[in-house]
Amino acid sequence: MDQVYGKAENVCIWLGDSDDNSQVALSFIKDEVLRIWEFDKLCENLKKSKQWHALVMLMKRPWFSRRWVVQEIALAIRGTIHCGTDTLNWQQFADAVSLFVEVESATHRLSEVMKRDQTFDHIPDFFGHVPQLGAALLVDATSNLFRSSKNGERKPLSNLEYLVSRLSIFESTQPRDTIYALLAIAKDTTPKAEDQDLPLTHSKEVQQQLNALGRRNMVSETYRVDYSLPVVSVYKDFIFFSIRKSDQSRALDIICRPWAPRVKRRYDQAGFEPNWTIVSKDIAPVRQEEDLDQEIPLPSWIPDLRRAAYTMTEHPNTTIGLRMERKNADPLVGLPTSGERNYSAAGTRVITRSKLNFKERESYYSMFVEGFILDKVGRIEEPSRLGNIPWSWLKFGGWHDTRTDPPQEFWRTLVADRGANGRNPPTFYPRACKESINKMTEGEPLDTRKLIDEGRCTIVAEFLRRVQAVIWNRRLIRTQRGHMGLVHETVQEGDVICVLYGCSVPVILRQFDKVEQVITQERIEDEYEIKERLRKVVNMMKAIFKKRRERRLKLQNARKMQGLKVDMLGNIRLIWALSILSVGLYLKSWHQTTAQAALTGNILLCISQQLIWSDQTSTVPGENTLQNQQRGDIRAYKEYFKIIPLLLVGSQIRLWTSLTLENVYPVLITFVFGLIAAFPQLRLLAKLRAIITSRWQQWRDKMSTARYPIRVEEFAQYYWKLIGECYVHGMMNGEAIALQNDEIANGLQEGDRIKARTFELR
C-alpha cells in the first residue's frame, strides 16, 4: 500500500458532504489563519469565535479518526482535501491545524475567546484537549514520521512501538489493524502477508499490496501479517516484538502503556464470519448475537484503552458535540522516545531474556518475567475523582497546617516528582501547591478544573494541570515500608509492589492461587511442548549430520578414485565445529522458563539416544581387517567429539541461568571430561575415561526407563495479575536496585533478602 500512496501524484481526501461549518472553516483557513503576521490579532478577536468553532468541527470529521488514513496521508507526496465541492491543499490545512493546536495548548487563548461569547454559553475549556484530536495527531505524523534525503528518498523515523502507543486514538473495525495498519510507516518493520488465503474481507489484491511492502529498501525486520490468528495472539506477538527491539532497560514498559482496543468475539473470527446455529429445519438460521457481542478478556499484561488518558466524549451542550477530554492519568512510563525516559526504577538492569516467555493455554495466556517484590501496599486513601485533591489526602500526607510549606514527600508525590516535560519539577511547584490548597474548603476536595478555568493564574494552572495528569483516578497510599505513593484506583491493601527487570517504573501485582487440576494440566502441556522442541532439535541435527555424512562420503570416494589419502581427522574437526555451531545457536535463541540445567541434560539424553549412540558406521564389505579397525577407532572419536560440544553448551547455559559459585563446577567437570574424551591415548586418563563412560551409559539407561524422562521445574502454586504501574516516592531512580544490592552486601539471611523471582502474569 505504501507503493500506491507513496508514488501517487496526488492523494484525494474525501471528508464527506459540505455543510455551513465546513464552508466557513475552509474559507477561514484560506483567507485568515495562514496570515502569520496577523495571527496574534486573530487569536484575540472576540468576533472570530464562530470561525474557530467551525475549524474544530471540521477537525472532528470521522475521516480523521480512521487508523488506515495515517499511512495514506503520511506517505502522500501531495494531498487535496475535498469536502463537498470545496477543496483545500493538505499542506494549508496542516499549517492551520498546527497553528491552532500550538496556541491553544500553550496559552488556551482561544478557549478564552469562546468563553466570552454568549453564543456558546460561556463554556470553559470549550475545545478540550486539542493535541489529542485525530486531525492534530495526523498533522504531526505527516511532518515528523519521515525524513527526506537529498535524493528524495523518505526514511521512517519512528519504531512500531512508538507509533502504536502514540496513535492509539485512531480506530479500526478490524482489531488486528491496530498493529498491521502502521507497519508500512515504522522504521523497524517490513510487513509480509502469509501465503495462506486471507479472510474474505481481504482480497488477493490486498495480499499483493501487503507483499509489496516487503520490497522496501530499508533495514528492518520482516513482520508477519496474518489475519487468521486470534487477536490476542496478534497482540502478544506485537508485545514480544517490541520487547526485542526496544531499549532492554525499559523493554517491559509496553505492558504499562494503554494501547490495545477491546475485542468482541465477532471481530476475533477470521474474516468476521458469522456464527450461525440451525435451530430446526423449519426455522431460519438464528445468529447468536449475545455470544458474538461478548468481549474477549485480555490478559492483564495487555493494557487496553480503558485506561487511556483521553477519549472522545459527548458534551451535554449540543453546540460542542464530541470533545476530547481526560478520563485517566497519563502513563508514568511515557512514550518510548529514543534516549529519553521518565524514571529508572530498575536502574540499568535489563530484562532477563532467559526468563522471558509466553505460554498460550486453552483458556488463558501467560507471560513470564523476572523481578523482585519491593514492598506491599499498606494504607490506601480514596481515589482522586476528575483530578481533584481529596481533603483527606492532606492529613494522610503529613500536612496538618496548610499555612506552612507543603511536605516535600507530599507535593512531589502529587506531581510524581516530574514536570510537564518529564524532567525535574520547576522550583515554583511547592509555592503553587500551597496557594492552591489555601483555596480549598475544609472537608471538601480541591476542584482543580474550576481553579484552572476561573483562577486566572497561569502558574497555578500549570501546576494543577500536572497534578491532574498524575492523580486522575489514582489513590494515595502508604507502603508497609513507609513510602508514599500513587496507584490505580482498583488497587487493594496487601497487593505487592514489584520491580520488574527491564521496566522503568514499579508495578502492582495481585496473587492468585492455582487449583491442583490446573497445575497438573500445565505440567502435562509443558512436558509435551519440551518433547516437541527436543524432537525438532534431534531432527535438525540428524538432517545436518546426514547431509554432512553424504558430502563426506562423496569426498572420500572422489579422493579414492584420485588415489589421494582421506583426511579423517579433518572430518572429525568439521563435525565437532558443526555440533557446536548448531546446538549453540539453537540454545542461545531458546528462552525457556523451565530449569535450564535439567532441560540441557534432557537435550543431551535425547540427542545421544537417537543420534550419537545409534550413529554406528557398519563395516564396509571388501575392506581388510585393518581398514575396518581404523573405521571403528574413528567412530569412537566421533562419538566423543559429538558429546563434548553438547556438554560445553549445556554447562554454559546453566552458568548463564544463575551466576552463583556452585555453577562453576559443571564447567570445570566439562573441561575435564573433554580432556579425557579428546586424549584417550593418555594412559593416566584411560581408566577414568572408562569409568565416566560407564556411568554415562548407566544414567542413560535409567533415564530412558523413567516415567517422566523429561524433568520440568517445580510449578508455582500461584500466578499474578498485573493491576498497573505505580509511583513510589524515593524508589523511582534506581534506589530499589540499590536496596536489593545492599541487603545482599550486608549479609542478611537468605529469607530476609529481596530475592529475584519469576512471575507468571495472566
Side-chain angles (χ1 to χ4, degrees):
M1 199 173 294
D2 64 336
Q3 301 292 321
V4 177
Y5 289 98
K7 294 184 177 180
E9 294 183 2
N10 182 58
V11 174
C12 298
I13 302 166
W14 175 251
L15 298 184
D17 296 330
S18 63
D19 55 22
D20 293 340
N21 282 326
S22 66
Q23 294 175 357
V24 171
L26 295 178
S27 299
F28 185 49
I29 293 172
K30 295 176 182 178
D31 301 335
E32 300 184 68
V33 176
L34 299 180
R35 295 179 179 178
I36 300 297
W37 291 105
E38 304 295 329
F39 188 72
D40 287 338
K41 294 181 180 179
L42 181 64
C43 294
E44 298 172 356
N45 192 339
L46 301 180
K47 297 180 180 180
K48 296 299 180 180
S49 56
K50 180 180 178 182
Q51 285 80 353
W52 291 117
H53 172 255
L55 175 59
V56 172
M57 296 303 292
L58 183 68
M59 293 170 61
K60 294 178 184 177
R61 290 257 178 162
W63 186 87
F64 294 105
S65 64
R66 291 170 46 210
R67 199 169 192 85
W68 278 102
V69 305
V70 177
Q71 72 162 339
E72 293 173 7
I73 194 60
L75 295 170
I77 300 175
R78 188 168 68 92
T80 303
I81 292 177
H82 295 263
C83 191
T85 57
D86 301 320
T87 60
L88 180 68
N89 180 273
W90 170 259
Q91 191 58 50
Q92 292 179 313
F93 175 80
D95 292 343
V97 170
S98 181
L99 290 170
F100 169 72
V101 172
E102 179 66 24
V103 70
E104 174 61 17
S105 59
T107 64
H108 297 273
R109 290 161 59 187
L110 300 179
S111 291
E112 289 295 322
V113 171
M114 304 301 295
K115 182 180 176 181
R116 298 178 186 179
D117 194 334
Q118 186 176 359
T119 307
F120 298 101
D121 301 326
H122 304 288
I123 299 175
D125 194 20
F126 185 88
F127 297 118
H129 195 76
V130 292
Q132 291 296 323
L133 285 175
L137 293 174
L138 198 57
V139 168
D140 178 73
T142 57
S143 58
N144 296 325
L145 290 184
F146 290 90
R147 176 184 292 127
S148 298
S149 59
K150 293 182 179 180
N151 59 3
E153 183 181 359
R154 305 179 69 193
K155 295 184 178 180
L157 300 177
S158 302
N159 58 30
L160 182 62
E161 180 185 2
Y162 175 85
L163 294 175
V164 173
S165 303
R166 181 77 173 95
L167 305 176
S168 61
I169 196 66
F170 292 93
E171 301 173 351
S172 60
T173 304
Q174 167 62 268
R176 298 168 182 84
D177 288 338
T178 302
I179 293 97
Y180 294 161
L182 302 174
L183 296 178
I185 58 177
K187 69 177 182 180
D188 54 352
T189 57
T190 299
K192 181 180 179 181
E194 288 293 290
D195 294 335
Q196 62 197 38
D197 293 336
L198 293 175
L200 298 177
T201 53
H202 301 277
S203 62
K204 290 291 184 181
E205 181 181 0
V206 176
Q207 186 173 359
Q208 293 173 0
Q209 292 174 354
L210 289 171
N211 284 325
L213 295 173
R215 294 191 291 268
R216 293 185 302 166
N217 185 22
M218 62 177 62
V219 179
S220 58
E221 181 175 330
T222 301
Y223 197 102
R224 184 180 64 167
V225 177
D226 188 356
Y227 284 93
S228 65
L229 287 176
V231 175
V232 179
S233 295
V234 175
Y235 288 174
K236 182 261 296 181
D237 291 343
F238 164 69
I239 288 180
F240 184 55
F241 177 86
S242 300
I243 291 174
R244 289 193 298 107
K245 302 292 284 188
S246 64
D247 178 2
Q248 294 301 284
S249 63
R250 56 181 302 186
L252 289 180
D253 286 0
I254 187 63
I255 68 175
C256 299
R257 190 183 303 114
W259 59 267
R262 290 175 289 174
V263 184
K264 293 184 178 180
R265 295 193 182 277
R266 69 172 70 252
Y267 300 134
D268 190 41
Q269 300 176 0
F272 305 149
E273 296 178 0
N275 182 13
W276 297 89
T277 301
I278 304 297
V279 179
S280 69
K281 296 182 179 180
D282 301 326
I283 301 179
V286 178
R287 190 171 183 172
Q288 295 180 335
E289 296 286 348
E290 183 178 354
D291 293 337
L292 293 179
D293 285 333
Q294 289 182 352
E295 287 187 359
I296 298 175
L298 296 178
S300 62
W301 44 270
I302 299 181
D304 65 68
L305 288 175
R306 284 177 294 186
R307 295 194 180 182
Y310 296 95
T311 188
M312 292 291 286
T313 58
E314 187 73 34
H315 195 273
N317 191 308
T318 57
T319 305
I320 297 180
L322 290 173
R323 184 170 70 170
M324 185 65 69
E325 294 184 350
R326 180 179 291 279
K327 67 171 183 177
N328 285 302
D330 291 341
L332 294 171
V333 295
L335 289 172
T337 51
S338 177
E340 296 182 10
R341 71 179 70 188
N342 292 342
Y343 306 97
S344 54
T348 58
R349 183 68 182 265
V350 299
I351 185 172
T352 309
R353 296 291 295 271
S354 62
K355 299 295 184 181
L356 176 66
N357 193 29
F358 295 89
K359 291 286 186 180
E360 183 176 345
R361 308 290 187 184
E362 183 177 353
S363 58
Y364 58 88
Y365 289 72
S366 295
M367 178 182 183
F368 295 84
V369 292
E370 189 179 28
F372 61 88
I373 296 178
L374 173 66
D375 209 337
K376 286 189 176 182
V377 177
R379 295 179 296 154
I380 60 176
E381 271 294 322
E382 60 179 303
S384 168
R385 300 300 182 190
L386 301 178
N388 297 330
I389 303 176
W391 175 262
S392 60
W393 282 24
L394 304 183
K395 182 178 179 181
F396 191 84
W399 195 6
H400 303 284
D401 186 0
T402 57
R403 294 173 296 180
T404 61
D405 292 336
Q408 284 274 331
E409 184 184 38
F410 178 70
W411 75 261
R412 288 186 180 275
T413 300
L414 289 183
V415 296
D417 203 20
R418 293 291 185 271
N421 55 6
R423 299 188 177 94
N424 291 330
T427 56
F428 64 80
Y429 269 14
R431 185 171 298 276
C433 178
K434 179 180 178 181
E435 295 297 330
S436 302
I437 296 301
N438 286 334
K439 299 294 183 180
M440 292 181 69
T441 302
E442 185 173 355
E444 298 292 332
L446 176 65
D447 192 338
T448 56
R449 178 178 293 181
K450 182 178 180 180
L451 202 56
I452 291 172
D453 295 335
E454 301 178 3
R456 295 192 174 278
C457 178
T458 57
I459 299 300
V460 172
E462 180 181 343
F463 167 75
L464 292 179
R465 287 193 180 95
R466 174 58 186 169
V467 171
Q468 287 182 339
V470 172
I471 71 172
W472 200 294
N473 285 342
R474 285 183 174 146
R475 293 178 182 269
L476 192 65
I477 66 164
R478 183 73 68 176
T479 71
Q480 292 184 0
R481 288 176 179 253
H483 298 285
M484 184 178 293
L486 289 168
V487 298
H488 191 262
E489 60 180 343
T490 58
V491 169
Q492 303 173 2
E493 292 185 10
D495 289 343
V496 299
I497 302 172
C498 301
V499 173
L500 304 179
Y501 299 142
C503 188
S504 64
V505 299
V507 297
I508 301 292
L509 301 182
R510 185 173 298 161
Q511 180 178 315
F512 292 87
D513 294 331
K514 296 180 182 179
V515 297
E516 186 63 31
Q517 294 84 346
V518 172
I519 298 176
T520 303
Q521 182 64 27
E522 288 180 353
R523 180 180 291 109
I524 294 174
E525 292 177 2
D526 283 0
E527 287 178 354
Y528 176 78
E529 180 182 353
I530 293 173
K531 290 179 180 179
E532 286 297 307
R533 286 178 178 268
L534 295 180
R535 183 182 60 81
K536 291 180 181 179
V537 174
V538 171
N539 292 337
M540 178 187 69
M541 294 295 297
K542 292 175 72 173
I544 292 175
F545 280 109
K546 180 180 179 181
K547 186 175 181 180
R548 183 65 196 173
R549 193 159 48 244
E550 292 174 353
R551 293 179 59 186
R552 186 180 71 248
L553 291 175
K554 289 182 180 179
L555 180 61
Q556 290 177 1
N557 293 333
R559 286 177 176 271
K560 287 181 179 179
M561 293 179 64
Q562 297 176 8
L564 300 177
K565 183 180 179 180
V566 180
D567 185 8
M568 298 306 296
L569 185 59
N571 289 332
I572 293 175
R573 292 196 188 102
L574 289 175
I575 294 174
W576 180 75
L578 187 61
S579 301
I580 291 180
L581 179 63
S582 302
V583 181
L585 289 176
Y586 186 85
L587 292 180
K588 185 177 180 181
S589 62
W590 188 1
H591 305 298
Q592 187 70 21
T593 58
T594 55
Q596 296 288 356
L599 187 58
T600 305
N602 286 290
I603 292 177
L604 294 175
L605 168 64
C606 293
I607 295 179
S608 63
Q609 282 181 322
Q610 302 189 36
L611 179 62
I612 298 174
W613 299 102
S614 62
D615 186 22
Q616 305 293 332
T617 305
S618 59
T619 302
V620 179
E623 292 186 349
N624 57 35
T625 305
L626 179 60
Q627 289 175 324
N628 284 323
Q629 183 179 359
Q630 291 175 347
R631 293 176 62 88
D633 293 339
I634 292 172
R635 183 171 65 248
Y637 274 101
K638 286 167 58 180
E639 291 174 0
Y640 288 122
F641 273 106
K642 289 176 184 177
I643 295 174
I644 292 170
L646 295 177
L647 289 176
L648 287 171
V649 174
S651 300
Q652 186 63 35
I653 288 292
R654 180 170 180 175
L655 185 62
W656 289 340
T657 304
S658 178
L659 295 176
T660 56
L661 183 61
E662 60 267 19
N663 284 309
V664 177
Y665 296 114
V667 180
L668 298 177
I669 294 174
T670 298
F671 279 108
V672 172
F673 188 90
L675 290 174
I676 295 171
F679 302 102
Q681 67 272 24
L682 298 179
R683 297 181 179 179
L684 295 176
L685 299 177
K687 186 175 181 180
L688 183 58
R689 177 172 57 87
I691 294 175
I692 294 178
T693 304
S694 176
R695 293 294 178 88
W696 168 265
Q697 179 69 25
Q698 294 175 6
W699 178 82
R700 183 183 64 85
D701 295 339
K702 180 180 179 180
M703 292 299 295
S704 62
T705 58
R707 180 180 180 184
Y708 296 105
I710 297 179
R711 179 178 178 270
V712 297
E713 67 173 349
E714 294 298 329
F715 281 80
Q717 304 297 315
Y718 46 82
Y719 63 92
W720 305 84
K721 287 279 189 181
L722 176 62
I723 308 302
E725 59 182 356
C726 68
Y727 172 84
V728 181
H729 187 67
M731 289 290 165
M732 302 298 292
N733 299 303
E735 297 90 345
I737 291 290
L739 178 63
Q740 183 189 34
N741 295 335
D742 288 344
E743 291 192 355
I744 297 175
N746 292 334
L748 294 183
Q749 295 295 328
E750 184 72 19
D752 298 330
R753 294 179 186 175
I754 300 179
K755 298 184 297 183
R757 64 178 67 191
T758 301
F759 298 95
E760 179 187 355
L761 307 181
R762 289 190 190 174

